Amino acid sequence: MEKGIIRSTLYVLKHKDMDVAMVQIDRLTGKIEYILDIYLPEELPVGVSEEVGSIAAWWASRAIPDSRRGIQQVLHYLGEETNLSLMLSAYGLSLTDHYWMQPIGEELYWKDINFYENDFSDELGNLLTDTGRIDVESNISKFSPASTVNGEMKKKWVIIDDIRYLMKVNVNDYGQQSVNERIASRMHERLGWKNYVPYRLDKVLIDGKEYPCSLNPLFTSTEHEFVSAYQLIKEYKVPNTVSNYEAIINRAVCYGVEEETVRIQLEYTIITDFILSNTDRHFNNFGFLYSPAKHKLAAMAPVFDTGNALFYNKEIIPSNRNLLDVTVSSFCKREVDMLRYVTCMDAVHLDLLKDFPEEAEQMLKEYTDMPKERAEAIALTVGQKIEYLILFQQGKNIWKREKYW
């Protein structure tokens, strides 16, 4: 470090306009170095303790993951050392919750800078997703919620008719992940499930070629934050006799949600994820809406994020009994074992999904350039998964991989 240059700066961790803690941050790396004081421990994020390691880990988890494709090139272009320093350029503001960092000596107020009520630049989002126009001659504004969006897919927030939408795009795998989101939405529509995030499809131009992208409206607000299931249990010692599944339900009940509400949605999610072979229902991909004013959970968050489904990254599409060997990132390692948690066999009325495999096939053919044989093979998995669920609803333990037809 050059002599005379002070890298560390004091910030106040804010919850809207409440002073929660004073922290010291390395401006070059964006990392929290010390916690100098905690003013309002009750206003710390759910699942975060007063320990410096806990607060620093929470802060780091808000940033774009290092593993996202192209992030290192973007950081180099912007002259940022890390994804955390990029996030700090926008005070760590997010469209997930109401937390942010205020530099000591700057007079800032939540109402003037939050992204829920104030417009933001599209330039950083364009750069992160390779979409839209970028004026390379001008300074790109880093004041954008795009710096606090998690996940591997390239994403940005956009404002359309005063509504905030998350746009997701992937130029690999035929752009199938975006189409999968719309297919999942159609499934929820057919089933009459109300608590889901509706995705719609659009197209974006990247390097002269059109790719499908998904758009979904914001489901948090100035009244409600998103709290993931992971936040509920990450610092909670789960008893050896209790599964993570039951632990999350128990913790949610402690925070104010009705047990039946949680169970119904989790069972519904397990069944519908099974239909679409969604492999990525980890503990950050479902959760709850939290009321900071009441310090309690207000409801289950709507079902969202079903992009990593329908064998989007598999060259060979499985079928028949091989569909019972799908591995997932969730409560169980094997997808079919997740069904053991389902107690209400008629949580999903499968008769409402008649012709749904054909609808999924048509969307894959319309919005991607994948070979028609691949789209047909994927649609076949949907039909066969539904057939397996019919057997499950009839009392068959399909995880035993017996031969049924």
Side-chain angles (χ1 to χ4, degrees), residues 184-203:
S185 289
R186 282 294 300 132
M187 175 181 62
H188 299 314
E189 290 171 17
R190 280 172 167 260
L191 293 171
W193 182 258
K194 302 300 183 184
N195 197 31
Y196 73 96
V197 176
Y199 288 79
R200 74 187 203 199
L201 285 172
D202 204 343
K203 291 186 177 181

Side-chain angles (χ1 to χ4, degrees), residues 60-76 83 86-87 96 124-131 144-157 166-172 177 285 305:
S61 71
R62 298 171 72 76
I64 297 170
D66 291 327
S67 54
R68 186 182 298 178
R69 187 187 300 268
I71 182 59
Q72 297 306 320
Q73 292 90 326
V74 169
L75 293 174
H76 179 74
N83 49 358
L86 174 62
M87 175 175 65
T96 298
L124 179 60
N126 290 346
L127 188 62
L128 287 165
T129 57
D130 300 316
T131 60
S144 164
S147 63
T148 49
V149 180
N150 298 137
E152 301 297 322
M153 280 186 73
K154 294 186 175 183
K155 308 172 186 178
K156 69 175 181 179
W157 285 101
L166 183 62
M167 192 200 85
K168 301 196 289 187
V169 61
N170 183 15
V171 299
N172 302 304
Q177 287 165 291
N285 269 353
D305 209 340

